[in-house]
Amino acid sequence: MTPAPVKIILTDFRHDLESFYQRLQLTPPYDSVEKALTCLSTLMQTKTADEQQHIADNKISKWKLYQIAIIDSGLYKKHRGIIAGLLRSQNATDIPEVQRYLQEPFMETLRI
């Protein structure tokens, strides 16, 4: 049975990813999204119950873990050029603050 904080984290992450791709008018790479969710679940399972609760309650900790899952799962490699181009051409405020952490892995990987 998955602890409540882990379920909340996974549900929030899936929702944020779906909304992010929808805002960019792209179809999410579903296999890669599932890999990212599995990666996030694995990362959360390595944490103690107190750590899991802290992550669920702290948006910065949660977003950092989400970014790790995006990178470790390889999700950031899918459509990265397209996403980076769309993000550069849009106003940064078009992405809600609660989802801006999602754009960083796509943008950072293109910087040299």
Side-chain angles (χ1 to χ4, degrees):
M1 183 178 207
T2 306
V6 175
K7 285 183 182 180
I8 291 167
I9 293 287
L10 293 173
T11 300
D12 288 351
F13 185 49
R14 180 184 297 276
H15 175 268
D16 285 356
L17 283 172
E18 289 172 353
S19 180
F20 179 74
Y21 278 96
Q22 182 179 27
R23 185 170 304 285
L24 295 175
Q25 298 180 338
L26 292 173
T27 301
Y30 293 108
D31 288 344
S32 297
V33 168
E34 291 305 317
K35 285 180 188 176
L37 286 160
T38 299
C39 184
L40 179 60
S41 178
T42 300
L43 289 167
M44 287 296 289
Q45 296 301 329
T46 66
K47 310 289 184 197
T48 66
D50 287 341
E51 291 171 326
Q52 290 175 355
Q53 190 61 55
H54 171 74
I55 291 166
D57 294 339
N58 182 292
K59 68 181 180 182
I60 301 300
S61 296
K62 182 171 38 175
W63 293 346
K64 286 181 181 179
L65 201 62
Y66 289 174
Q67 288 177 336
I68 292 169
I70 289 168
I71 292 167
D72 287 356
S73 69
L75 177 60
Y76 77 98
K77 294 177 183 178
K78 304 296 181 176
H79 303 127
R80 115 178 118 195
I82 295 168
I83 290 172
L86 289 169
L87 291 172
R88 280 190 204 107
S89 69
Q90 293 183 1
N91 184 348
T93 58
D94 288 347
I95 305 289
E97 190 259 340
V98 297
Q99 293 177 356
R100 289 193 191 139
Y101 72 89
L102 288 170
Q103 63 190 358
E104 289 179 30
F106 295 98
M107 300 300 287
E108 290 296 321
T109 58
L110 293 177
R111 293 189 185 141
I112 298 175

